[in-house]
Amino acid sequence: MDGVTRVPEQRSPGTAALRFAVLGPVRAWHGEETLPTGSPQQRALLAALLLREGRTATAPELIDALWGAEPPSQALAAVRTYASRLRKVLTPGVLVSESGGYAVRGLADGALDLVVAQERAAEAEKARAAGDLAGAREELCRALALWDGEVLAGVPGPYARAQRVRLEEWRLQLLELRLELDLEQGRHSPAVSELTALTAEHPLRERLRELLMLALYRAGRQAEALAVYADTRRLLAEELGVDPRPELRELQNRVLRADPALAEPAEPSGEPAAVLVRPAQLPATVPDFTGRASFVRELGEVLASASGSAAEGRVMAVSALAGIGGVGKTTLAVHVAHQARAAFPDGQLYVDLMGAGTGWAEPETVLGSFLRALGTADSAIPDSLQERAALYRSVLDGRRVLVLLDNARDAAQVRPLLPGTDGCAALVTSRVRMVDLAGAHLVDLDVMAPDEALALFTRIVGEERVGSERKAALDVVAACGFLPLAIRIAASRLASRRTWTVSVLAAKLADERRRLDELQAGDLAVKATFELGYGQLEPAQARAFRLLGLADGPDISLRAAAAVLDLPVEDTEDVLESLVDTSLLESAAPGRYRLHDLVRLYARSCAERDEHPPSERAAALSRLLDFYLATAAAVYAIERPGDRLVDGLAATEYPGLAFAGAPAALDWLYTEASALLACVRQAAGTDRLRRAVDLLWAAKDLTESGANSHQYETTARAMCEATRAAEDDRAEGRARTVLSDVLLVSGRIRQAEEQARRAMELAGSARDSTAASWVANNRGLVCLHQRRYAEGKTLFGQAIAGFRSTDNRAGEASALSNLSRAELFMGNVEAAVDIARQGLAVYAELGRTMRLANGHFAVGVALSQGGRHDEALAQFTEALDLFGVHRQRLWEGATNYRLAEVHLSAGRPSPAAQHAEQALALGCIGGDRMRGNVLVLLGRALSSLGQADRARACWRDALGLYEQNDAEEAATVRALLARTTTG
C-alpha cells in the first residue's frame, strides 16, 4: 500500500510462538519471552530480512543495507557473524542460508506487526467500500495502535532510513483516512484537537490542513477555517514558493460561500451507506390496531415520498394533532412508523417529548440521546443546542432514518430535532396544531368513527361476546366518546371479567358519566373512561394510583414509588405491575413507571376527592422528598467524604438508598435528576420548603458536572422566590448560596456576587453556620474574579475558620485551595504552593475522590505560576484522570486549559493547542468568559506555531465573548489584535 513493503503470509507450525516488531524498536519474542536482538547492526540485519517479504537477500545487498557505499573492510564477516548470532536466538529453521545470502521464512500468521497492520488497513478499505464507516474506523484504529514510537528506532544504515521514511508516510496516510472517517461520522470537535496538533507537527502536509478546515467549519468555527487557509498559503509561499493545491483552494471557496453541502459529511465511496449502529427505538405497535385507514394511507404516502428516490430534498414533518389526549395520536404514529420501517433501513429514533406537562424534554437533552443512539461517542457530543443540532443533522446525512417525536410541546421544541436532509423523515405528535412548523404536513386527528370504534372494541373483547349485544356495545363506545384510549380501557376491563355482559358495562358507564359535568366536552369522555377503570380497582391499587399521581416528575422509580406509598419494595412492585395491566400506568423501563399526563391529572383529582385523611396527600409527597434528600445526601457523602454539609441538612424520617460505591451513586443521581428537581420545585409554598432547598444543595453535582445545568438553575431560582415569599431566612440563604454556585460555574460573576452577598446576610440572620462557611468561600471566589485579592483572602480565612469549627475537613480543603489562588494573585507564589499542598493533604486523607482532583488542580495552578512546569503537569494529569472518573466534564475542560497553559509556558505550543482544543470541546467551569480565555490561549499557541491568521480568528471570537459579558479582558484582546495586525 502506497509504497509500503508487503510481507507475505508464511505459516509454520513450529514457529507459531515467534513474533517480531518493526513498527517501533526492532524486537522479537518467543511466546511471552523477549529475545535478545543484539547490537544495532545486528538488529539492522534482522529488520532487512523481515522486510524483504521472505525473499533471499544476498550478502552484497545486506552489506549495502547496513553500511551503504562505505562498508568496513570486514563487512562480509560481520554479516555472517550477525546471522549466526540471530540463528542461535531464533527458532531453528527461521533464518536460513541460501545462495550466498539469507532469508527469514516460515513465520506464522500475525508474527510481524507490519503484516498485521497491512491486513487491518485492507479490512478498513473493505468496510469503507461497503459503507460500514464505524467498522472501517475501528480497523484503522487497530492498525495505527501497532505503531510504538519511531519505526526501526535506533537501527542504522541507509535501508533502515528509507524504510523509516516510507512507513512513517504510510502511518500518516492511515491517520488521514481515519480522520476523514471521523468527520464523515460527525466527530468534528475531537478531530479539531487532534488535527491542530498534527498540523503543527507536519505544517506542510496540505491534506491535514484540509481536514482541519473542514472540521472547524463543521464545528461552527468558519472564521478559523478560513484562517487556516490563509496560514497555509503564506507558509507554502515562504517555504516552498508554491500555492496551495487545487483541493485546498476549492475548499476555501466553499467555506467562503457557506456551501450547505459542506456542513454535512461527504457521501462515502462505494455502495450505499450501511451504518453499523441502526437504532430501532420505536415502541411496539398494538396488535389490535383498528381503523384510521385514510390516515394510515395518507401518512404512509408522505413517508414514502420522503424516503423514495424521487424525493425533492425536503424532510416532511408530519404532525398528528387533536384537542384532547387519548385520541390515538401515538398509536397511529407508531403503527405508521412500523409499516414504513423498510423505507428507512438505517434506523428509527423515538422520544416522548412530554410536551403536555410542565417537565417537557429539553431539545439538547433529546439530541444527546439521539446522537448516542446513532453511534456518536459521549466525548464527541458538544454542549450547546446549536452544535448538537448541527452534529445531529451531519450524522443523519446520507442515512435514511425515521424520527418519531411524540407528545411535542410546540414547534420550537421540535425544530432542532428535525433531520436536515432528504431521505429522512419525522413524525410529530402534539396536542397543538403546529401551523408554525414550516413545511409540515398537518393532520387533524379526531375521535374514531362509530364503526371503527365498535371494531376496536370487538377486537379486544371478542366477536362472540359483542355479536349478540351490538346495541349495548354501541352504547359503550358512545359513552367512551369514541376515544380510542377510553375504548381500550373499557374493553380491557370487560375482557378480563368473563361474568360481565356488555350490557352490564354499558349500564355502569351510563351511571358514572353523569358525575362529570365539571369538565369540557372533550375531556368529559376521557375522564369518564378513567373513572370506569378507577372504579374497578382494588383498594390497594386505587390508593397507589391516587398517590402516584401527586408527584410531578416525568416518571418515578420503583424505590421512589415505595416511598410515596409507604410500602415494602416487593409489595410496591406487585401493585404497580397490576396497575400496568389495567393500562392506567405505563412501565417506562425496568424499574421505572409513568402516568400518561391526562391520567395523572385524573389521579390527582381522585386523590383530592377520595384520599382520606386528606393529610395523606402531603404525607406521601413528604416521604418522597425524604427519600430523595436522604439518598442525595448519601451520594454527596460518597463523593465528598469529610464534608460535614450533610450533617447540617434537614432531618428526614423516611430512609434513602445506600450505595456500594461512587459509580452506582452517580448513576442514581443522574438518572433521577429530572424527577428529583421536580420534587424540589413541587415543594414551593409548602412546609417541605427547607428540605427541598437542602435536597437541591445536596444534588449540586448536577450543575458542577455540566449535566442538567439549565434545569438545576431554573429550580434554584424558583426556590429563591419561594423561600423569600415564605420569609424563611435560613432556607432563602441556602437557596441563594446554591444559586451563587450555579452562577460561578457559568461565569456570571456579577450575578453570583449579588446572590452570595444576600446569602451571607441571610445566613447571618438565621445563624446558619453551615451556609455561612460555604457562602464565604463563594464570595472569596467572586473577589478573585474581580481582582479584589485582599478581600478574597480575608473571606477564605473566614471560610476556613468556619469549616474548622464544624470539623468540615473537605470544606477546609476547598477553602485552602482557593486561598492559595489568592496568594498567587498577590504574588506570593511559595506561600500559594504551600497552602495548596495543605489542601491536597487534607483531601488525600479523605480518600481518592472527586475532591482530591480539586486538590491536585489547585497545586498544579500554584506550581505552574511558579514556573515548575513538570511538577504542574503531573498534578494536572492526576486531576484530569480523577475528574474523568467522576464525570466532571466541565472540570475536565478546565484542567485541559491549565495543561495548555503549562505547555505553552514551557515552549511547547503544539500540545498546548491540542489541550486548548479539548477544553473548547468539553466546556469549562466559568462559562463564556472562560471560553474566551481558552480561545485567547489557543490563539497564542497557534501564533507560536506560525498560524497567525487562525490565531487572530480565535482572538476575534474571544473578543466577541468578552464584549457580550462586558469583561475587562476585552481591552487586552483588542490590543493583541491591533498589535498582530499592524505587525
Side-chain angles (χ1 to χ4, degrees):
M1 175 185 291
D2 300 311
V4 178
T5 302
R6 292 283 183 175
V7 182
E9 298 180 9
Q10 302 173 11
R11 298 174 177 82
S12 171
T15 60
L18 200 61
R19 294 181 293 115
F20 297 93
V22 293
L23 299 178
V26 176
R27 289 168 291 182
W29 298 268
H30 191 280
E32 298 302 316
E33 178 189 1
T34 302
L35 302 178
T37 52
S39 66
Q41 286 77 15
Q42 186 170 309
R43 292 197 302 274
L45 176 68
L46 177 60
L49 295 174
L50 288 169
L51 294 174
R52 285 187 67 82
E53 306 182 11
R55 291 180 288 106
T56 300
T58 65
E61 288 174 333
L62 291 172
I63 290 171
D64 184 64
L66 269 63
W67 293 287
E70 299 181 357
S73 58
Q74 300 298 316
L76 180 58
V79 166
R80 289 172 178 169
T81 299
Y82 299 149
S84 175
R85 291 173 180 171
L86 285 170
R87 190 177 286 116
K88 292 176 181 178
V89 171
L90 303 178
T91 303
V94 171
L95 199 160
V96 298
S97 301
E98 188 176 80
S99 303
Y102 300 93
V104 171
R105 301 272 173 81
L107 297 184
D109 266 348
L112 183 61
D113 58 355
L114 176 58
V115 173
V116 177
Q118 291 168 347
E119 292 171 349
R120 289 177 177 172
E123 288 300 316
E125 288 181 356
K126 293 177 185 176
R128 191 182 192 192
D132 182 3
L133 302 186
R137 183 183 186 277
E138 181 181 355
E139 289 296 336
L140 285 173
C141 288
R142 294 172 65 194
L144 288 164
L146 293 169
W147 266 261
D148 186 15
E150 183 184 38
V151 172
L152 304 176
V155 174
Y159 182 79
R161 285 194 295 273
Q163 290 294 325
R164 197 175 290 124
V165 171
R166 186 176 295 115
L167 290 172
E168 173 60 14
E169 172 62 24
W170 184 47
R171 185 187 72 85
L172 288 172
Q173 290 172 1
L174 293 179
L175 189 55
E176 287 170 345
L177 180 56
R178 199 220 76 212
L179 287 161
E180 287 179 27
L181 292 172
D182 283 347
L183 298 187
E184 288 182 20
Q185 295 175 80
R187 296 182 173 93
H188 314 316
S189 294
V192 169
S193 175
E194 188 173 0
L195 283 163
T196 295
L198 286 169
T199 53
E201 187 178 354
H202 306 281
L204 298 176
R205 199 170 183 91
E206 292 182 72
R207 181 56 182 152
L208 289 175
R209 299 277 183 152
E210 287 179 40
L211 292 170
L212 177 57
M213 285 181 65
L214 185 57
L216 286 166
Y217 183 78
R218 289 183 179 170
R221 297 158 69 178
Q222 181 180 14
E224 283 188 68
L226 292 170
V228 169
Y229 177 82
D231 286 329
T232 305
R233 182 180 59 183
R234 184 180 61 255
L235 180 66
L236 292 173
E238 292 174 353
E239 297 290 330
L240 304 176
V242 298
D243 289 329
R245 65 183 191 173
E247 294 89 345
L248 198 58
R249 294 198 299 272
E250 173 60 20
L251 181 58
Q252 184 221 18
N253 290 330
R254 294 178 69 189
V255 172
L256 281 169
R257 65 175 185 266
D259 184 349
L262 197 62
E264 314 294 347
E267 285 288 345
S269 58
E271 299 176 7
V275 297
L276 184 63
V277 179
R278 296 181 182 88
Q281 298 183 341
L282 294 177
T285 187
V286 293
D288 49 20
F289 182 88
T290 304
R292 308 297 200 189
S294 62
F295 290 112
V296 171
R297 183 170 55 254
E298 178 181 355
L299 296 175
E301 289 172 357
V302 171
L303 293 181
S305 69
S307 64
S309 59
E312 300 177 358
R314 62 192 179 97
V315 176
M316 183 63 69
V318 181
S319 182
L321 301 151
I324 57 173
V327 77
K329 304 181 296 295
T330 298
T331 301
L332 173 62
V334 169
H335 180 77
V336 170
H338 273 283
Q339 286 197 334
R341 284 184 64 184
F344 300 94
D346 296 321
Q348 305 85 40
L349 296 168
Y350 170 85
V351 64
D352 179 1
L353 294 174
M354 299 183 291
T358 57
W360 49 278
E362 296 180 353
E364 53 263 50
T365 303
V366 175
L367 286 169
S369 298
F370 278 0
L371 287 167
R372 292 185 190 96
L374 291 165
T376 307
D378 282 347
S379 59
I381 298 175
D383 190 48
S384 72
L385 172 61
Q386 292 76 15
E387 289 177 315
R388 287 187 178 190
L391 177 58
Y392 170 66
R393 292 191 294 271
S394 298
V395 171
L396 285 180
D397 184 61
R399 304 187 188 188
R400 292 162 64 189
V401 174
L402 176 62
V403 183
L404 176 47
L405 306 173
D406 193 20
N407 196 14
R409 181 172 185 261
D410 52 28
Q413 186 189 26
V414 166
R415 287 190 192 100
L417 308 179
L418 297 178
T421 57
D422 53 333
C424 294
L427 278 170
V428 183
T429 74
S430 176
R431 291 202 185 179
V432 298
R433 200 169 191 273
M434 293 194 177
V435 295
D436 53 344
L437 190 61
H441 176 81
L442 302 181
V443 175
D444 294 316
L445 189 62
D446 204 346
V447 297
M448 302 183 88
D451 58 336
E452 290 181 334
L454 182 59
L456 174 61
F457 183 79
T458 303
R459 290 194 66 176
I460 298 172
V461 174
E463 178 66 38
E464 181 181 350
R465 297 179 71 183
V466 175
S468 61
E469 293 187 275
R470 181 178 175 82
K471 183 179 182 303
L474 285 171
D475 290 341
V476 168
V477 296
C480 291
F482 305 109
L483 202 68
L485 179 61
I487 295 167
R488 184 171 297 280
I489 294 174
S492 297
R493 284 292 160 196
L494 183 59
S496 65
R497 288 162 173 77
R498 303 302 300 176
T499 59
W500 282 15
T501 63
V502 180
S503 299
V504 169
L505 175 60
K508 287 180 176 292
L509 282 174
D511 290 340
E512 295 176 348
R513 194 166 181 245
R514 286 193 290 268
R515 301 200 310 261
L516 306 175
D517 55 356
E518 74 278 7
L519 292 179
Q520 295 180 357
D523 286 337
L524 184 62
V526 179
K527 191 168 184 180
T529 301
F530 298 155
E531 193 74 37
L532 169 66
Y534 174 67
Q536 303 307 314
L537 296 178
E538 299 295 331
Q541 293 176 310
R543 174 180 178 270
F545 176 69
R546 294 192 300 267
L547 296 183
L548 287 175
L550 297 174
D552 270 353
D555 62 2
I556 192 167
S557 69
L558 175 60
R559 295 300 186 107
V564 171
L565 303 182
D566 197 19
L567 291 174
V569 172
E570 294 79 6
D571 294 347
T572 301
E573 184 173 23
D574 288 344
V575 72
L576 295 189
E577 288 297 327
S578 71
L579 284 173
V580 171
D581 294 339
T582 69
S583 300
L584 289 173
L585 186 68
E586 300 174 28
S587 180
R592 301 199 72 83
Y593 301 88
R594 68 184 174 203
L595 291 165
H596 183 281
D597 45 5
L598 283 179
V599 178
R600 183 195 303 275
L601 293 176
Y602 173 73
R604 288 185 179 180
S605 69
C606 290
E608 293 173 1
R609 182 188 66 196
D610 300 339
E611 194 61 41
H612 299 293
S615 59
E616 176 57 12
R617 300 198 300 270
L621 292 175
S622 181
R623 289 190 296 271
L624 178 63
L625 179 57
D626 274 359
F627 168 78
Y628 281 138
L629 176 54
T631 309
V635 177
Y636 189 99
I638 289 173
E639 283 289 278
R640 297 170 175 81
D643 191 332
R644 313 306 299 182
L645 180 142
V646 292
D647 296 337
L649 299 177
T652 59
E653 296 181 4
Y654 195 91
L657 300 177
F659 301 101
L666 290 174
D667 285 343
W668 179 87
L669 182 64
Y670 295 131
T671 300
E672 294 292 338
S674 293
L676 181 152
L677 293 174
C679 182
V680 172
R681 293 190 296 271
Q682 194 171 6
T686 72
D687 61 1
R688 306 188 301 275
L689 192 56
R690 283 195 173 189
R691 281 179 290 155
V693 171
D694 283 356
L695 170 56
L696 186 65
W697 201 359
K700 64 186 296 185
D701 271 347
L702 294 177
T703 187
E704 284 200 11
S705 66
N708 305 94
S709 296
H710 176 72
Q711 194 177 10
Y712 188 92
E713 179 181 344
T714 301
T715 305
R717 291 188 181 277
M719 287 298 99
C720 286
E721 290 304 311
T723 51
R724 183 188 59 79
E727 299 181 349
D728 186 333
D729 286 358
R730 177 185 179 276
E732 184 181 356
R734 293 188 172 198
R736 296 194 184 279
T737 300
V738 167
L739 183 55
S740 70
D741 283 338
V742 175
L743 296 168
L744 278 169
V745 167
S746 60
R748 287 169 283 174
I749 305 305
R750 291 180 181 174
Q751 294 181 48
E753 178 186 25
E754 177 185 344
Q755 295 298 330
R757 189 179 297 278
R758 179 61 179 146
M760 181 164 275
E761 294 171 357
L762 291 162
S765 66
R767 297 183 179 181
D768 185 357
S769 59
T770 301
S773 299
W774 283 109
V775 77
N777 205 30
N778 283 359
R779 287 194 65 200
L781 290 171
V782 168
C783 289
L784 295 189
H785 283 285
Q786 297 179 338
R787 303 188 179 184
R788 293 151 41 203
Y789 305 132
E791 184 181 350
K793 180 177 178 180
T794 300
L795 286 163
F796 291 135
Q798 293 175 13
I800 291 169
F803 287 131
R804 285 175 176 168
S805 70
T806 57
D807 195 30
N808 190 332
R809 298 284 282 156
E812 176 190 351
S814 175
L816 283 168
S817 298
N818 293 330
L819 177 60
S820 74
R821 293 179 59 193
E823 293 286 1
L824 264 185
F825 286 126
M826 297 171 73
N828 305 321
V829 176
E830 290 306 315
V833 172
D834 180 63
I835 293 170
R837 288 194 185 280
Q838 292 178 40
L840 177 60
V842 174
Y843 279 132
E845 290 175 13
L846 300 175
R848 187 176 168 80
T849 66
M850 178 187 74
R851 289 308 167 195
L852 181 60
N854 289 110
H856 285 295
F857 184 89
V859 174
V861 171
L863 290 169
S864 66
Q865 295 301 308
R868 296 157 66 175
H869 299 137
D870 290 342
E871 293 176 77
L873 283 176
Q875 295 292 331
F876 287 135
T877 301
E878 185 68 23
L880 189 63
D881 176 61
L882 280 170
F883 283 135
V885 168
H886 291 273
R887 311 178 203 180
Q888 295 293 309
R889 178 176 54 81
L890 297 183
W891 276 110
E892 285 186 80
T895 308
N896 271 292
Y897 168 72
R898 293 296 184 176
L899 284 164
E901 273 190 326
V902 173
H903 280 297
L904 190 59
S905 297
R908 298 187 290 266
S910 180
Q914 187 172 11
H915 280 293
E917 284 289 358
Q918 289 171 356
L920 288 176
L922 290 163
C924 292
I925 296 286
D928 283 346
R929 188 170 178 174
M930 188 61 187
R931 184 176 178 84
N933 294 347
V934 177
L935 285 166
V936 170
L937 179 64
L938 175 58
R940 292 186 187 279
L942 294 171
S943 181
S944 297
L945 291 167
Q947 301 180 31
D949 285 272
R950 187 180 167 201
R952 284 192 290 272
C954 289
W955 293 333
R956 285 191 290 269
D957 287 345
L959 180 60
L961 291 170
Y962 288 148
E963 289 176 341
Q964 289 172 19
N965 290 274
D966 196 23
E968 58 189 26
E969 291 91 343
T972 303
V973 178
R974 289 191 197 98
L976 190 60
L977 284 167
R979 184 165 63 252
T980 55
T981 301
T982 57

